[in-house]
Amino acid sequence: MHVIKTVLPDTSIPRTFYNITADLPEPPPPVLHPGTGQPVGPDDLAPLFPMALIMQEVSTEREIEIPEPVRAIYQQWRPSPLFRARRLEQALDTPAKIYYKHEGVSPTGSHKPNTAVAQAFYNREEGVRKLITETGAGQWGSSLAYAGQMMGLDVEVYMVRVSYQQKPYRRAMMETYGASVFPSPSDRTQAGRKALDNNPNSPGSLGIAISEAIEVALGDEHSKYSLGSVLNHVLLHQTVIGVETMEQLSMVGDSPDIVIGCAGGGSNFAGLSFPFIGARLRGELDARFIAAEPASCPTLTKGVYAYDFGDTANTTPLVKMHTLGSAFIPPGIHAGGLRYHGMAPLMSHLKELGILEARAEHQLGCFNAGVQFAAAEGIIPAPESTHAVKVAIDEALRCKEEGSSRVILFNLSGHGHFDMQAYTDYFAGKLQDYEYSETEVRQSLAGLPKVTEA
Ligand SMILES: *Cc1c(COP(=O)(O)O)cnc(C)c1O
């Protein structure tokens, strides 16, 4: 028998998160206050986040200890298995070795609980009683609801109204974990009431939901806000994925030539790749890193590297990132988790340094790859994850053409069991490819804030 799964014991759950800032040749640009144009300090963020997370946001320590209570909850599904995709390799008839890290084994079916559990812990340690967040398709909301349940915190979720209506199972999941879920725009906040005044039938947007969640968190001293991607501390928590994978690959005597992940805000890709990128920065590994994004929301491939707001309502600090402009509204593609106008500042910085490659993929090709993957490996990937599957298959076929054997590693960020409507629509021929023209991108970028950098 050949090895398919590499499974680590509970005791091998990493003891530290890996902080890539320690190995960067230069630090990423500072986060700026939109009013003054000056770098924000910890006190500016304190109303929203606990101090431990703010300190992680700016830390330059290479390793940050994972608290024991967080490791104890991770034990419910971590270490996650590393699979060798032998059946897919056979189906493709490729000399490449394909490995995937299966983050779909978590209670909510994706990588998102890795940071949700850590965030809930640090908030609880500082006396916070309730976490407020927004959710689009519901993957983040259900993960934070789960984490709140595990850590004994209340969770309140503002769910984009159209998803609230169309994704009843994700809502039921959040409620099963004891969270309160409100369709956004709601009449519970000024931001929500304003949106409803403008349009009583508003379908909602992530931008409005973020504004509602922030408003509620700021209005209650026992509540804080929580974000599921983009920020440095979120990417940091996700590095448990890559730290485990390094150990698993060394157990089977392999080292990756190509590391692949899908990228929405950048957290699952960073989680798998940063420990390997760190090794490359230290001169210990020679590998390529490819982020797969949707052609309908081409942040890294068509956006500009500039200071922009994190939300549509323009209430957040300014961060330097690859962005399509905070006014950018992507078409309704099914990979809901990849529809963010910006990219994590750390990911953007690595792209500028020439370490990260990016590829924009169309959804029809991605679903085709997802079906091919399910046929070979049995696991149905989340629509987001099919973007990584597509690039992995393309690279494996290139190996076949060139007659070279490379080690390809990708992150299977989640399973698709709550997204079968997307597969149904794909089979029914209802999905289309959509590509933004240069003119449309220029238009959405015209509204970028003017920032004079020091
Ligand atoms: C949320 C989500 C993503 C995208 O978010 P990142 O921060 O880019 O990782 C990708 N895959 C799945 C399954 C998700 O739930």
Side-chain angles (χ1 to χ4, degrees), residues 127-446:
V128 175
R129 294 193 202 138
K130 192 182 207 177
L131 288 175
I132 322 288
T133 199
E134 71 286 333
T135 198
Q139 281 154 325
W140 170 242
S142 52
S143 297
L144 194 68
Y146 160 75
Q149 182 82 290
M150 294 300 116
M151 290 289 172
L153 289 179
D154 290 337
V155 173
E156 190 170 305
V157 184
Y158 289 82
M159 185 173 192
V160 175
R161 184 176 294 269
V162 53
S163 301
Y164 183 87
Q165 287 156 351
Q166 288 175 0
K167 307 235 167 179
Y169 298 138
R170 278 283 171 195
R171 192 198 338 153
M173 244 175 121
M174 292 184 251
E175 288 168 351
T176 304
Y177 293 130
S180 312
V181 188
F182 301 101
S184 167
S186 76
D187 59 7
R188 299 170 57 83
T189 65
Q190 276 180 10
R193 287 191 292 273
K194 190 165 158 238
L196 287 173
D197 280 347
N198 288 339
N199 176 7
N201 299 318
S202 168
S205 71
L206 216 41
I208 299 169
I210 292 177
S211 307
E212 288 206 274
I214 289 181
E215 187 182 323
V216 173
L218 290 178
D220 172 14
E221 59 170 326
H222 299 298
S223 296
K224 297 260 187 231
Y225 173 69
S226 177
L227 197 66
S229 187
V230 179
L231 298 177
N232 298 352
H233 69 262
V234 179
L235 276 53
L236 173 80
H237 302 154
Q238 292 294 352
T239 59
V240 290
I241 303 172
V243 173
E244 284 176 9
T245 307
M246 275 189 151
E247 187 174 343
Q248 287 163 314
L249 274 181
S250 75
M251 282 167 69
V252 291
D254 267 326
S255 156
D257 297 304
I258 307 175
V259 182
I260 298 162
C262 66
S267 74
N268 88 84
F269 178 83
L272 175 68
S273 67
F274 278 11
F276 291 99
I277 293 180
R280 171 165 152 189
L281 288 168
R282 296 190 303 272
E284 300 159 12
L285 174 77
D286 185 19
R288 292 170 57 205
F289 300 90
I290 310 176
E293 62 181 12
S296 57
C297 191
T299 318
L300 281 170
T301 49
K302 282 197 178 162
V304 293
Y305 186 51
Y307 272 102
D308 197 5
F309 291 100
D311 66 329
T312 319
N314 292 359
T315 52
T316 67
L318 292 167
V319 290
K320 192 151 187 194
M321 60 183 177
H322 284 87
T323 177
L324 294 161
S326 62
F328 179 83
I329 300 172
I333 64 154
H334 273 294
L338 302 181
R339 296 182 61 192
Y340 184 63
H341 69 272
M343 183 56 62
L346 277 173
M347 293 273 289
S348 297
H349 187 57
L350 287 165
K351 172 89 175 357
E352 286 304 295
L353 292 174
I355 292 161
L356 195 78
E357 300 170 43
R359 228 173 263 179
E361 294 293 341
H362 287 286
Q363 67 171 349
L364 291 181
C366 291
F367 274 104
N368 181 50
V371 172
Q372 216 178 338
F373 182 80
E377 297 288 315
I379 299 166
I380 301 176
E384 292 86 357
S385 315
T386 62
H387 291 70
V389 175
K390 169 73 166 59
V391 173
I393 289 179
D394 286 349
E395 288 299 319
L397 291 175
R398 217 159 56 86
C399 286
K400 181 174 167 179
E401 255 169 49
E402 296 170 1
S404 55
S405 169
R406 295 193 191 93
V407 176
I408 298 169
L409 167 68
F410 76 91
N411 201 15
L412 189 68
S413 54
H415 68 64
H417 296 182
F418 287 97
D419 304 287
M420 295 318 292
Q421 186 61 46
Y423 279 86
T424 304
D425 292 347
Y426 169 67
F427 292 129
K430 286 188 193 163
L431 299 187
Q432 284 161 10
D433 283 342
Y434 189 90
E435 181 148 2
Y436 267 84
S437 70
E438 301 295 338
T439 322
E440 281 171 294
V441 172
R442 261 201 309 280
Q443 273 168 7
S444 69
L445 288 174

Side-chain angles (χ1 to χ4, degrees), residues 101-113:
K101 181 74 164 162
H102 189 7
E103 288 298 305
V105 297
S106 82
T108 59
S110 79
H111 64 290
K112 288 192 171 78

